[in-house]
Amino acid sequence: MYKPSFLRDKLVPISTVVLLLIAVWYVAVIFLNAPFERDTAARAGTEIAYSDLVRNTMAQERPVLPAPHQVIAEIWDTTVNKAITSKRSLVYHAWITLSATLLGFGIGAALGVLLAVGIVHNRAMDRSLMPWVIASQTIPILAIAPMIIVVLNAIGIAGLLPKALISTYLSFFPVVVGMVKGLRSPETIQLDLMHTYNASAAQTFWKLRWPSSMPYLFTSLKVAVAISLVGAIVGELPTGAVAGLGARLLAGSYYGQTVQIWAALFMAAALAAVLVMVVGFAHTAVLKRMGAKP
């Protein structure tokens, strides 16, 4: 009989893939950063040995592709060696972005659930609103974000809310789609049984449709919270923000600080992973509370 093993089933495969990606990354660092070293040696009228070439590509100040150890060193320096209140701290910038992410995620999740309930219980909303919900996501966020920021600034709304609304725009869609599917997941025989009990629409909703939709809700929330973070970062770009992960990416692109850019990207990825894990823990707790087997 097969027994699950954390070492065999998770640790070894994941570690193998990570090590392979790091090896490919280091090879790419050499190839992408080598032209600069060769040009520097040519201008100096010297020849550079291959060993020196490899060593120099790993330690460039502004590389085309920073090496993994450079990114790790930058993350360590901007998280551990800097006070969290410092504007050079990635923790400080991550909190600025996280605040807009959570606000936008909360608004988007609530809006998505309300729209899904309306779509499931109202045929007119199903036929008219659902196509518009789907069509709304065909507009590139990079195109609509500046318009949202400019319009809201023109009417005196600035700061946290415009970025949160961009996160809302992205995060409500998976919640709508997931909850519509979840609220419609009960089988016909289950709905007929509620009908034989003379249950009202509200009783059917709270005792059958809502519990049945929980797996769909939390699955969609995992997607929503991740893209909500993307929306918050994108919302910082057209404003010329001085704080937030988007601001760090923008400043890095202005001054050619690729190591800073990659460090901000990894911080954003780690933040998204933590948010998805928190939603996953909430999912497990809710299902356990509902009596599901672990």
Side-chain angles (χ1 to χ4, degrees):
M1 182 178 179
Y2 176 79
K3 294 182 179 180
S5 171
F6 174 79
L7 179 65
R8 182 181 62 249
D9 296 340
K10 294 184 178 181
L11 184 60
V12 172
I14 293 176
S15 300
T16 302
V17 172
V18 170
L19 292 175
L20 180 61
L21 290 176
I22 292 176
V24 173
W25 188 350
Y26 270 113
V27 173
V29 167
I30 298 173
F31 279 99
L32 292 177
N33 295 338
F36 175 79
E37 295 299 328
R38 293 194 182 98
D39 291 343
T40 301
R43 287 194 298 269
T46 61
E47 292 186 2
I48 185 171
Y50 184 74
S51 58
D52 294 332
L53 175 69
V54 172
R55 183 175 63 253
N56 292 345
T57 57
M58 300 292 174
Q60 290 181 1
E61 183 178 354
R62 295 183 180 181
V64 175
L65 177 63
H69 63 268
Q70 290 180 294
V71 177
I72 294 173
E74 175 69 13
I75 294 175
W76 180 269
D77 182 56
T78 52
T79 54
V80 178
N81 296 336
K82 297 289 188 300
I84 60 174
T85 55
S86 171
K87 292 186 178 180
R88 297 187 62 187
S89 171
L90 269 181
V91 178
Y92 168 79
H93 291 285
W95 167 249
I96 298 296
T97 302
L98 179 63
S99 59
T101 298
L102 294 178
L103 179 58
F105 171 67
I107 299 173
L111 178 63
V113 171
L114 291 176
L115 289 177
V117 172
I119 289 171
V120 169
H121 288 87
N122 189 293
R123 186 179 297 273
M125 288 186 65
D126 184 21
R127 293 186 175 183
S128 61
L129 185 60
M130 193 61 181
W132 283 105
V133 170
I134 296 173
S136 70
Q137 301 303 301
T138 63
I139 305 174
I141 188 61
L142 289 176
I144 199 173
M147 293 187 288
I148 295 175
I149 298 295
V150 170
V151 169
L152 293 179
N153 283 338
I155 60 176
I157 301 177
L160 181 65
L161 187 58
K163 293 190 296 181
L165 289 180
I166 295 173
S167 296
T168 299
Y169 174 79
L170 289 178
S171 62
F172 89 99
F173 175 73
V175 179
V176 171
V177 174
M179 283 302 291
V180 167
K181 180 69 174 177
L183 293 174
R184 288 174 173 169
S185 62
E187 299 178 2
T188 303
I189 191 173
Q190 295 172 318
L191 294 172
D192 288 343
L193 180 62
M194 295 298 292
H195 183 69
T196 60
Y197 291 159
N198 196 30
S200 64
Q203 290 174 322
T204 301
F205 176 82
W206 291 112
K207 296 182 182 297
L208 178 60
R209 291 189 185 275
W210 182 255
S212 299
S213 68
M214 285 298 100
Y216 298 87
L217 173 62
F218 282 99
T219 300
S220 61
L221 288 180
K222 291 178 183 178
V223 179
V225 74
I227 61 175
S228 182
L229 177 63
V230 174
I233 293 174
V234 171
E236 293 168 350
L237 299 179
T239 62
V242 295
L245 295 178
R248 291 285 289 182
L249 294 173
L250 199 60
S253 65
Y254 281 159
Y255 302 106
Q257 298 289 345
T258 51
V259 178
Q260 176 180 311
I261 293 174
W262 279 78
L265 288 173
F266 271 85
M267 176 60 78
L271 189 59
V274 170
L275 291 174
V276 172
M277 287 176 60
V278 170
V279 175
F281 290 145
H283 185 192
T284 302
V286 169
L287 292 184
K288 184 177 181 180
R289 183 72 177 83
M290 293 173 62
K293 295 182 179 180

